Amino acid sequence: MLQVLVMMHRKRLLAILVLSAVLISVTLFTTGRLSRDDIQYLVPWSIAKLFYPAENLFLEYASPLKESHWIYDAGIVDANGDGLLDIYTTNHNWRQRLLLADGSGGYRDVLSAWQLDQNREFPGIEISTVAPEIVEPGVYIYWHNRHLYIRTHRVDNTTPVGITLNALTELEITKNDGFNIDEEKSEALSAPTITDHTIKFSAKDNAIIELYPRSRGVPLNFTLDDSIELTRVYLGNKLISPPSHAFSLPLQDRHAMAWSDFNDDGQLDIFITRGAIGGTLRIYPQNIVDTVNDEFFVSKMGSSPADPQYRNMIWRSGFSKNGCSARHANWLDVNGDGLLDLFINCEDVGNIEGKYPNKLYIQNANTRFVEVAEQSGLSILDHNIIDYEWFDADNDGDTDLFAHQDNGFYLYRNTTGRFTPEFIHRGKFARIDHPDLKGASGAYWIFDGKLSVADYDGDGDLDVFMSSKKGNALLNNNQGVFASLDPLTIGLPDISVSASWVDYDNDGLPDLHTVPGGIFRQQKDRIFEQTNLLVLPSDKYMASIVNWYDINNDGTRDALIALNENPTLHRWWELSKKDTFKWTFITRQNMSTGNHWMQIQLLGGSGNREAIGSRVSLTTPSGQQIQEVGSGDGAFYSQGHYRLYFGLGKHSKADLVRIHWADGTIHELKNLAADAIHTIKRNE
């Protein structure tokens, strides 16, 4: 009886607490002291719905990533082909992630299991915020927060442990506790930025030395005394022992990951772009140049997506770095022959003589690639490309290039594989007018100026929105003729850190999500209203990368938002030796209900299994929507999320789905059911 009374009192107490929360929330909401966004964190979901309609609600979702460091990109891909969308990051020369989703909200990092570490010989040698556990006696060599550490632990030999370190960069000793510097010599080479620096040092027992290499792109060459047992030498966080007493630790940066099934085995392959020692690669000796290249991981025949094996085919496929500090990478079928080609954007940093033209590699039938950017009109020497999108801008059946460059916007119109540039608009944002925007030298950094593509006005062609803290731009497309439209005139913000087109409520009208302004919902009159959803502090963030995708396959697109704080709060150049350039992540689950939806995954033929460049038009009584595979990906430099999302509003089917495959073939499907993910094969 007593237990019953206690349970009754508990229920009454809970009811009183909930009712109190509701009354307080109502009071604060009606007086304007509490926004609808705040309610969802104060009261249960079932009660929050009373104040916040379901179609306008985002709930906090357990993020697979809390934070990461020195991010160059974050993107979405179905890496193992199981229908669940996975997450990857590229982190310059820091430890990156490849997180496989299990369908239940859990994720597993398979980067090392798939042998995709930055250094395959010494996995775990990348820069990390976590130092390895020092337990066993021996010599430990590892990166921690941009410093190189060398430690001797419980080395009780009477003979000191001797180590020689050589690199073509200055090696600043920032801390030394217990090591003797036996010899140190530094010699300036012909190039003023290159220093040949050698340090010989030794220690007994426990000692630690902390070094700051000025360049982390050159190999660090170690020579250990023969008296040191190699099994007692531990490299990186995975404590790998070197194969010999002389070894090199190259530390290079990764920028982009472009995913495609290159060899038609049903498994995704990966092209990874690397930097080029701060854009200075061509002034280094050939032995250094030979150590720096992009990566092309192709799955070995017979390996399974659950346990893939890769080989790096960068040297066998015709790709050549040639000094290119590669940024963006995109697969596309530029000439309509059914084979994927590759476009690479090279950053022209301008600090040494010469240029870094962009590269266009055309694939031949023998799976070799030939670089044809100059003869195709795409070398683009004069101005650095900030961001770009590949799509059929003029609806003529081939893929064009829309580029945001230092001095404005250009359309490179494709005519049988030859591209002709057309200047479109200069806009408020032009890096040629703002030298502080170049590189990583100001509050706008490299992520400012990102493009997002959608047919926002429903007229059958793709429009472009550019986000920038110097001034947003909307380029309205009319059959390949672009006109600048002031975003403010249709209710969109004039500045933002980032912006992405997304039909968040599945009503069939593309909305615009911005950081920090949140979601701007498109109304039937094509005017946008601010919803106050996902609003962030206006002055806190320098950069963001936003991926909108269906985390749990429930039909609505959820948000994975990576945020980097404004350097006015912590100047990167003042903290370059210790700052980790930390990014934080937030994940929001979209609880919108009431509207129908459709997702389409195309499966192309041999040579382009992801159907990149194919266009899908979907027709309902409310009108027509168009999307292209490979455009509108949330990632900044990378490419890999090829699923298409359509909101159907109150319509339970699509009257017509028309697919214009990349090779020109037309495929039509009628009365396709809503509320499903449809996989459509090229030959069916």
Side-chain angles (χ1 to χ4, degrees), residues 35-62:
S35 71
R36 295 186 297 180
D37 280 339
D38 299 324
I39 292 175
Q40 62 180 295
Y41 301 105
L42 296 180
V43 299
W45 154 238
S46 59
I47 299 175
K49 287 180 65 176
L50 300 174
F51 307 97
Y52 211 149
E55 66 268 15
N56 293 325
L57 182 64
F58 288 87
L59 296 182
E60 187 172 0
Y61 190 85

Side-chain angles (χ1 to χ4, degrees), residues 536-568:
L536 295 170
S538 61
D539 60 349
K540 186 175 182 180
Y541 300 108
M542 165 178 96
S544 70
I545 301 173
V546 182
N547 285 271
W548 282 92
Y549 70 110
D550 191 354
I551 292 177
N552 49 7
N553 289 341
D554 66 350
T556 59
R557 295 173 74 177
D558 313 294
L560 177 68
I561 306 173
L563 299 164
N564 187 226
E565 291 192 3
N566 196 312
T568 58

Side-chain angles (χ1 to χ4, degrees), residues 150-360:
I150 302 166
R151 295 184 64 171
T152 57
H153 178 64
R154 294 168 51 196
V155 179
D156 299 323
N157 298 334
T158 57
T159 303
V161 172
I163 302 172
T164 300
L165 173 59
N166 169 263
L168 291 185
T169 185
E170 180 183 353
L171 300 167
E172 180 185 352
I173 301 174
T174 55
K175 178 183 178 181
N176 185 7
D177 185 7
F179 274 97
N180 294 316
I181 306 301
D182 299 327
E183 182 181 354
E184 183 175 2
K185 58 181 181 180
S186 181
E187 179 183 0
L189 300 186
S190 56
T193 58
I194 300 178
T195 299
D196 190 355
H197 197 170
T198 300
I199 305 177
K200 294 182 179 181
F201 45 95
S202 58
K204 297 180 181 180
D205 301 325
N206 299 325
I208 181 170
I209 190 170
E210 176 186 298
L211 300 161
Y212 183 76
R214 290 294 180 182
S215 173
R216 285 165 296 280
V218 299
L220 301 175
N221 304 309
F222 286 85
T223 304
L224 310 181
D225 286 355
D226 292 340
S227 60
I228 304 174
E229 296 182 30
L230 293 178
T231 56
R232 294 298 188 185
V233 180
Y234 305 100
L235 306 180
N237 279 345
K238 294 187 178 297
L239 306 179
I240 305 297
S241 297
S244 68
H245 287 82
F247 57 91
S248 291
L249 295 181
L251 186 65
Q252 298 169 25
D253 48 321
R254 285 176 167 175
H255 294 160
M257 301 183 77
W259 301 74
S260 71
D261 185 1
F262 168 75
N263 59 351
D264 292 317
D265 66 346
Q267 186 172 319
L268 290 179
D269 312 298
I270 317 163
F271 191 96
I272 303 177
T273 63
R274 288 187 178 269
I277 315 181
T280 64
L281 180 63
R282 70 174 57 164
I283 66 176
Y284 280 85
Q286 191 62 42
N287 65 315
I288 302 295
V289 173
D290 292 341
T291 67
V292 182
N293 213 319
D294 300 325
E295 300 165 298
F296 186 27
F297 291 114
V298 178
S299 58
K300 293 182 180 180
M301 293 293 184
S303 65
S304 69
D307 187 24
Q309 295 180 333
Y310 294 94
R311 52 179 176 168
N312 188 359
M313 294 184 59
I314 194 68
W315 298 108
R316 305 178 187 178
S317 302
F319 298 110
S320 175
K321 197 159 189 67
N322 193 29
C324 168
S325 186
R327 294 308 197 244
H328 305 73
N330 276 84
W331 293 107
L332 70 153
D333 183 2
V334 72
N335 52 7
D337 64 354
L339 300 176
L340 285 177
D341 313 304
L342 186 71
F343 182 77
I344 298 175
N345 178 30
C346 306
E347 183 183 36
D348 177 13
V349 294
N351 57 358
I352 64 171
E353 186 177 354
K355 297 289 186 178
Y356 296 88
N358 298 289
K359 296 176 179 290
L360 175 62

Side-chain angles (χ1 to χ4, degrees), residues 396-425:
D396 65 349
D398 52 28
T399 301
D400 310 297
L401 176 67
F402 188 100
H404 178 204
Q405 298 178 202
D406 275 359
N407 66 341
F409 302 97
Y410 287 80
L411 174 64
Y412 291 81
R413 202 182 298 272
N414 186 358
T415 305
T416 62
R418 176 71 186 182
F419 293 83
T420 304
E422 300 176 11
F423 178 78
I424 296 174
H425 180 62

Side-chain angles (χ1 to χ4, degrees), residues 434-664:
H434 303 282
D436 60 309
L437 300 183
K438 198 96 169 179
S441 60
Y444 304 97
W445 208 42
I446 59 176
F447 298 93
D448 206 36
K450 186 179 188 310
L451 304 178
S452 183
V453 173
D455 182 15
Y456 92 91
D457 55 1
D459 65 350
D461 42 37
L462 293 170
D463 312 295
V464 182
F465 192 91
M466 187 278 296
S467 59
S468 171
K469 295 186 289 298
K470 284 293 187 183
N472 296 337
L474 175 59
L475 289 309
N476 184 268
N477 186 6
N478 184 14
Q479 299 296 313
V481 179
F482 287 85
S484 174
L485 181 64
D486 187 348
L488 290 173
T489 61
I490 57 172
L492 294 175
D494 60 341
I495 58 173
S496 61
V497 175
S498 68
S500 309
W501 293 109
V502 54
D503 183 4
Y504 84 97
D505 54 1
N506 283 332
D507 67 350
L509 300 174
D511 313 299
L512 191 73
H513 169 249
T514 70
V515 174
I519 293 178
F520 292 78
R521 181 179 181 272
Q522 185 177 177
Q523 304 172 96
K524 292 183 178 180
D525 60 359
R526 305 296 180 184
I527 303 298
F528 293 79
E529 61 174 351
Q530 189 171 15
T531 64
N532 293 319
L533 297 171
L534 304 182
V535 176
L536 295 170
S538 61
D539 60 349
K540 186 175 182 180
Y541 300 108
M542 165 178 96
S544 70
I545 301 173
V546 182
N547 285 271
W548 282 92
Y549 70 110
D550 191 354
I551 292 177
N552 49 7
N553 289 341
D554 66 350
T556 59
R557 295 173 74 177
D558 313 294
L560 177 68
I561 306 173
L563 299 164
N564 187 226
E565 291 192 3
N566 196 312
T568 58
L569 304 179
H570 53 266
R571 298 283 182 181
W572 72 270
W573 56 86
E574 296 173 357
L575 302 175
S576 60
K577 295 183 184 180
K578 58 182 178 180
D579 180 32
T580 60
F581 228 96
K582 184 173 68 176
W583 289 66
T584 56
F585 286 79
I586 61 173
T587 307
R588 294 293 181 265
Q589 185 178 1
N590 187 354
M591 303 302 294
S592 297
T593 60
N595 286 327
H596 295 288
W597 56 274
M598 183 180 295
Q599 298 177 22
I600 292 178
Q601 188 82 50
L602 297 185
L603 184 60
S606 176
N608 185 6
R609 292 178 63 88
E610 287 67 51
I612 297 170
S614 300
R615 172 174 288 199
V616 176
S617 64
L618 182 148
T619 304
T620 68
S622 298
Q624 177 182 270
Q625 303 176 54
I626 65 166
Q627 294 184 39
E628 284 192 17
V629 178
S631 67
D633 194 329
F636 187 72
Y637 285 144
S638 306
Q639 179 192 39
H641 186 199
Y642 302 118
R643 188 182 299 181
L644 303 180
Y645 299 85
F646 297 91
L648 302 187
K650 302 305 179 184
H651 307 295
S652 61
K653 65 177 182 177
D655 295 334
L656 177 65
V657 173
R658 190 171 189 267
I659 304 167
H660 190 293
W661 296 92
D663 63 1

